[in-house]
Every structure is written in C-alpha cells, then in structure tokens.
C-alpha cells in the first residue's frame, strides 16, 4: 500500500498537477489510481532522481504527475494513498522521549510532512495519548516529533504504538493502558490487536499494518481464522458459551420452539457477524440445521393432551399414510399453528399445505406407488393409487414436482422421472 507524504504541489504547463514528496511505503506505478483526502487521481507520470520511471518503490524521492486533481486541491501535509488501504486516525497512543507530565498540554505534531495541533494526555511515565486536530494516515511504528510552539523548540520524539486505541470507559483505564504500553516497540502484534477487539476483519488488520498472510497466521497463537474474520480464541469460546446459555434461556420460555435463528443467536451472544455463529456453535457442541441452533437432544415439548393426540395421528398415518387428518381433528386435539410448527421443525411430520400433515416418509412411499402406474398418469390416477383425496393428492404431487421426482407434462398429466 502506497503512502507518500506531499511536500509540494504545483502545475507544469503541458503536464498538469505535479506533487513531490518522499515515498515511504509501497510502490507507485504509472496508470494506477491513488487518493488524497478521499479524492481520486490517476498517476500520469513518475520521476525519481530526475529520471522518468514506470514504477518507483519505497523509499524514494518522487515527483508524481497526477490527472484528476488541481494543484490547489493538494497541500503540504497531505498524503497520496492506495485507495481504502489506510485508515485515518485522529487519536493515537505513543511513547515519548520526555517526561509526559512536563510536556505542554498542547503541541504541534510533525508526522511525515504534516504539522497539526495535538492535545497531550499522559498515560504513564513515557506513554501519552495524542488527540489530533484532523485525521491522518498513521500506523503503529511511525515516528514523529512534538514541537512546543510556545518555547519554539522540540519537546519530544514520538513512537506511535497504537493508531486505533480503545476508549476509556471506566476509572483507572488510562493508567492501565499506559502500563500495557510501557514496553511497546511500535510493531503491532496480531494476537494482541485481535484479542483487544475480540474479532476483526482481515482488511482492517491489514490496514493497521498487521501481517496477515498464511505464514504469519500459522505462527500466531490465540487467533482463530474463519472466512474474512480473525477471532481471538478466548472470545471464540466465550461466544460459544453465550450461545449455549441463550439457548437454555430460550428453551425455558419457549418449550414449543426450542431453537433460535442464527440472527437471534448472534444478537443474544453479541457476535459481530451472523456468518460466525454456525462455526462457533458447532465448536461448542450445539446442533446447527436449516439456519437454526438447538441444544443436542432437545426437541419441542407439547402438552400431555397434545402429545397423546399427536401419537394417535402418527398411528393412523402409519396404517393409512395418505389419510391426512382434517382440520377439525387437529383443532379438537389442541394442535394449533404453533404446535404444528414445532413438530414439523422437529422432523416428526411434514406439512404440504396449511392443513395437510403427513409422516416424513410419505413422499418416498408415494413414489413407489406412482412408479407402478402407467406413465404418464393423471391426478385421478395418482389419487386412486394413493388412496386419498384431492385435498392431499394435489399438494403432495406439487411437492414431488418441486423435489424433481415427478415432472408435469401438461395440465392433466405427470410422469415419474427416471
């Protein structure tokens, strides 16, 4: 990723906008797009050491001919950047070479070619938090200078140790933060940064200057990689326990529906992305199926009356697989929409329509009988072979069509797919 701090910007007749500066990071190539303060520009030409180049690698003095921006739109202290690759920060933690308590409360921070006012808050004997007047593309490991404008002298050197520091939300957090950074070298540590955030995306980690290639991840302990996410092992296990606890609470209050959707589970456990829920749940020993989580072995619990009625329906369907119970039978048994939804989710029945309830093996049994018919067959042929009514036959045939087991030829005929 490119970062070039601009020291001059001017116009050359016949060429347009030219900026000069020191390329400290990355490789600039003719034809690529860069951005300055969020505005895009294309590199038309490059010079280094007064010679034209198609590309220039850091570290080097460079003159860059830009198309798309006027010279007046770029100022000293701006930075040419790879688009979307550098986070801008106006708060950073840094180690200083002077007693923080003897530094002025405000000073000028000089980083790259930028000079901006910074408010200084001591955190420990050599660590400070700097709050800047405007955001800049700074990363851990950068060096800078604090200048005291009142005394007209350098106040201290600066080593940035965190360009994305946490906020202080409790008493003593500032002192604790200073203690944590007392031995920081400025090189960001992947396990530390992921652990502090619980989880972070690969792109955000790379933008902070963290090494996230496969070899670096293999060397890093305490970090779980899942898709685009890097998750601390501790948070991974904490979230797994939170999912289990959420399911136990849900089961206690919703006996008819003991499962949680992935989104509901994500929200209950505080997981940042729904795509993380399923792998975390599986590692925690939970069941994951059809976009829902469940505790192992826990199914919907019906009332004693409803359970007896359901067992009687199961018995009758085993004897006559396509004699689906009528709606009055279900109402008399106390099997309303919630109860039927629970038992279908549990896999005890399939619902082909609002009021057509069959055992799970009914489609396979139907196929055996339909395959024995002369092909193609009519709906009446199917109804007679199955020994059922049109109320059941029509949705059952549509179900078989949807599964690709049968094929509709015209308005009156179907055939079994071979």
């Amino acid at each position: 990723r490119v970062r070039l701090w601009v020291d001059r910007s001017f116009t050359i007749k016949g060429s347009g906008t030219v900026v000069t500066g020191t390329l400290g990071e990355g490789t600039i190539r003719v034809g690529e797009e860069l951005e300055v303060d969020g505005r895009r520009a294309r590199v038309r030409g490059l010079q280094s050491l007064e010679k034209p180049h198609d590309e220039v690698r850091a570290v080097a003095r460079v003159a860059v001919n830009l198309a798309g921006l006027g010279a007046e739109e770029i100022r000293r202290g701006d930075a040419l950047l790879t688009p979307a690759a550098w986070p801008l920060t106006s708060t950073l933690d840094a180690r200083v070479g002077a007693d923080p308590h003897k530094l002025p409360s405000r000073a000028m921070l000089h980083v790259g070619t930028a000079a901006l006012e910074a408010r200084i808050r001591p955190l420990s004997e050599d660590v400070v938090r700097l709050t800047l007047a405007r955001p800049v593309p700074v990363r851990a490991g950068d060096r800078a200078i604090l200048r005291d404008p009142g005394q007209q002298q350098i106040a201290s050197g600066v080593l940035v140790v965190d360009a994305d520091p946490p906020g202080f939300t409790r008493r003593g957090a500032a002192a604790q933060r200073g203690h944590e950074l007392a031995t920081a070298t400025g090189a960001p540590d992947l396990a530390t940064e992921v652990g502090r955030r619980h989880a972070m995306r690969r792109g955000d980690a790379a933008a902070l200057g963290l090494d996230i290639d496969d070899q670096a991840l293999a060397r890093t302990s305490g970090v779980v990689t899942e898709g685009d996410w890097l998750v601390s092992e501790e948070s991974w296990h904490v979230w797994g326990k939170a999912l289990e606890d959420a399911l136990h609470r849900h089961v206690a209050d919703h006996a008819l529906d003991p499962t949680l959707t992935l989104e509901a589970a994500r929200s209950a456990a505080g997981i940042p992305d729904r795509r993380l829920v399923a792998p975390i749940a599986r590692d925690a020993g939970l069941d994951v199926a059809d976009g829902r989580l469940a505790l192992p072995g826990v199914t919907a619990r019906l009332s004693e009356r409803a359970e007896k009625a359901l067992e009687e329906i199961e018995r009758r369907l085993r004897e006559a697989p396509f004699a689906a119970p009528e709606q009055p039978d279900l109402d008399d048994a106390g099997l309303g929409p919630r109860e039927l939804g629970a038992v279908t989710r549990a896999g005890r029945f399939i619902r082909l329509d609002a009021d057509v309830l069959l055992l799970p093996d009914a489609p396979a049994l139907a196929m055996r009988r339909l395959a024995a018919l002369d092909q193609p067959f009519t709906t009446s042929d199917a109804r007679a072979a199955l020994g059922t009514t049109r109320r059941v036959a029509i949705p059952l045939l549509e179900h078989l069509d949807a599964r690709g087991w049968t094929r509709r030829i015209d308005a009156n005929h179907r055939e079994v797919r071979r």
Side-chain angles (χ1 to χ4, degrees):
R1 53 180 184 165
V2 169
R3 181 176 62 172
L4 181 149
W5 293 100
V6 175
D7 52 32
R8 294 180 63 209
S9 174
F10 50 90
T11 301
I12 295 180
K13 187 175 181 179
S15 296
T17 301
V18 175
V19 300
T20 62
T22 299
L23 175 62
E25 306 264 355
T27 301
I28 295 183
R29 296 177 177 85
V30 172
E32 73 176 334
E33 275 199 338
L34 299 175
E35 67 179 16
V36 182
D37 196 22
R39 302 184 303 273
R40 297 290 180 94
R42 182 174 57 83
V43 178
R44 294 173 57 182
L46 290 170
Q47 279 196 355
S48 182
L49 301 177
E50 300 183 358
K51 294 182 180 180
H53 295 271
D54 291 331
E55 69 176 40
V56 178
R57 298 178 180 274
V59 174
R61 288 288 299 171
V62 186
V64 186
N65 182 199
L66 295 175
L69 289 176
E72 71 282 357
E73 297 180 84
I74 307 172
R75 61 187 176 181
R76 178 180 174 84
D78 285 339
L80 279 178
L81 305 170
T82 299
W86 285 88
L88 303 181
T89 180
S90 57
T91 304
L92 53 90
D93 289 343
R95 297 185 66 185
V96 293
D99 184 347
H101 298 89
K102 294 182 179 179
L103 293 174
S105 60
R106 296 181 182 272
M108 294 299 294
L109 180 74
H110 294 263
V111 55
T113 56
L116 54 158
E117 185 178 20
R119 183 160 51 86
I120 303 172
R121 177 178 181 176
L123 301 183
S124 68
E125 60 182 16
D126 68 345
V127 178
V128 298
R129 172 153 296 182
L130 301 177
T131 304
L132 311 180
R134 61 181 175 87
V136 289
V138 175
R139 64 169 177 81
D142 283 343
R143 294 188 178 273
I145 290 173
L146 283 172
R147 181 175 61 86
D148 184 348
Q151 298 294 323
Q152 293 293 308
Q153 63 182 14
I154 302 299
S156 177
V158 172
L159 172 64
V160 178
V161 293
D162 194 341
D164 182 31
F168 298 140
T169 58
R170 56 181 177 80
R171 183 183 297 274
Q176 176 62 30
R177 179 65 175 159
H179 176 73
E180 292 172 357
L181 298 178
T183 59
T185 63
D189 176 73
L190 180 60
T192 299
E193 297 302 322
V194 173
R196 176 160 67 82
R197 294 167 177 80
H198 306 297
M200 62 191 307
R201 295 184 185 275
R202 285 174 178 261
D204 295 333
L208 290 176
L210 295 165
D211 188 0
I212 58 167
D213 63 25
D214 291 341
Q215 290 183 348
L217 290 172
R219 294 193 303 267
T220 303
S221 60
V223 174
V224 179
T225 303
E226 179 61 42
D228 189 44
W229 283 95
L230 306 174
V231 184
S232 76
E233 283 188 356
E234 180 180 359
S235 296
W236 186 274
H237 296 307
V238 167
W239 285 335
K241 182 63 167 60
L243 290 175
E244 184 179 0
D245 292 344
L247 278 169
H248 279 291
R249 292 193 299 270
H250 182 77
V251 167
D253 296 333
H254 303 85
L256 281 177
D257 183 10
T259 66
L260 281 175
T261 66
L262 294 181
E263 178 56 29
R266 183 208 66 76
S267 179
I271 298 173
D273 190 330
R274 188 171 61 184
R275 287 171 291 188
L276 292 172
V277 174
I280 291 173
R282 291 189 184 99
D283 273 5
L286 305 176
D287 291 340
V288 183
D290 301 324
R292 305 182 76 91
L293 303 189
L295 293 168
V298 175
T299 58
R301 296 197 305 272
L302 302 176
S303 68
E304 184 176 350
R305 173 194 172 207
E307 182 61 39
K308 287 183 177 179
L310 207 62
E311 290 174 355
E312 175 60 21
I313 290 173
E314 287 176 318
R315 184 191 66 76
R316 294 205 306 262
L317 285 174
R318 282 193 291 271
E319 294 176 356
F322 308 107
E326 300 282 349
Q327 187 62 48
D329 296 331
L330 298 176
D331 293 339
D332 291 344
L335 296 172
R338 293 180 66 242
E339 288 78 9
L340 294 178
V343 296
T344 53
R345 282 192 297 272
R348 293 178 65 177
F349 293 89
I350 58 172
R351 292 181 74 181
L352 301 181
D353 209 342
D355 62 347
V356 176
L357 200 70
L358 297 176
L359 294 178
D361 61 353
L365 293 174
M367 285 300 296
R368 295 177 190 172
R369 299 191 187 183
L370 296 177
L373 295 174
D374 292 334
Q375 305 294 314
F377 56 86
T378 65
T379 301
S380 295
D381 294 334
R383 182 177 59 77
L386 299 175
T388 189
T389 63
R390 287 182 62 86
R391 178 181 75 90
V392 177
I394 295 297
L396 178 55
L397 290 172
E398 291 175 348
H399 176 77
L400 299 177
D401 291 344
R403 297 183 70 165
W405 292 2
T406 57
R407 178 173 60 190
R408 188 164 189 162
I409 297 175
D410 55 36
N412 297 313
H413 295 84
R414 285 180 171 82
E415 66 179 3
V416 172
R417 287 180 180 269
R418 300 295 182 182

